[in-house]
Amino acid sequence: QMVLEESGGGSAQSGGSLRLSCEASQTTYVVYHMGWYRQAPGQQREFVASITRGRRQNVTSAVEGRFTIERDIGEGVNRVHLWMNSLKPEDTAVYYCFGNMGVWDSKNYWGPGTQVTVSQ
């Protein structure tokens, strides 16, 4: 199992910045993969960025160069951060943190989501 809790988000103006953080706890095995999806009103959930335990990153082209994903790894520490710069109104969405435990448990676990709103 895994419990994910997001923090950060909120409102920003176009061109502004926000940071999202997510911490995984109560994990059964080592957390391999963490990252973020987002879902805008009336749209399907879409991938934003992810990072492995070895810090290999994957970022969708829509946010590449503007968003940065980082990860804190340590004894009992599993946190992922999403630094969002040069925000655009189209970045407005609910952002969901996910995590999985790789070969031990490939199922994606999800946080409850945090709202990001970008105004003109």
Side-chain angles (χ1 to χ4, degrees):
Q1 69 167 16
M2 183 187 306
V3 176
L4 295 161
E5 184 173 356
E6 299 119 340
S7 61
S11 299
Q13 291 193 324
S14 183
S17 299
L18 288 171
R19 186 187 80 164
L20 304 181
S21 296
C22 175
E23 182 154 13
S25 62
Q26 300 180 41
T27 59
T28 308
Y29 304 106
V30 171
V31 181
Y32 176 70
H33 212 181
M34 296 186 76
W36 299 88
Y37 277 68
R38 67 186 181 185
Q39 187 167 17
Q43 309 258 346
Q44 288 192 333
R45 192 175 295 191
E46 63 174 4
F47 171 80
V48 177
S50 67
I51 185 167
T52 67
R53 192 169 180 81
R55 294 188 168 87
R56 187 175 73 243
Q57 300 176 22
N58 190 17
V59 179
T60 190
S61 59
V63 306
E64 195 167 13
R66 300 189 296 120
F67 290 13
T68 301
I69 189 166
E70 295 179 350
R71 186 167 171 179
D72 300 333
I73 301 172
E75 185 65 34
V77 174
N78 285 288
R79 279 192 297 265
V80 64
H81 309 284
L82 186 68
W83 298 89
M84 304 184 294
N85 299 312
S86 301
L87 283 163
K88 303 176 181 181
E90 50 263 44
D91 294 319
T92 295
V94 178
Y95 283 69
Y96 295 93
C97 175
F98 80 91
N100 66 55
M101 291 170 275
V103 296
W104 297 278
D105 182 355
S106 61
K107 169 188 171 181
N108 277 345
Y109 293 84
W110 298 93
T114 185
Q115 177 70 46
V116 171
T117 303
V118 184
S119 58
Q120 292 282 6

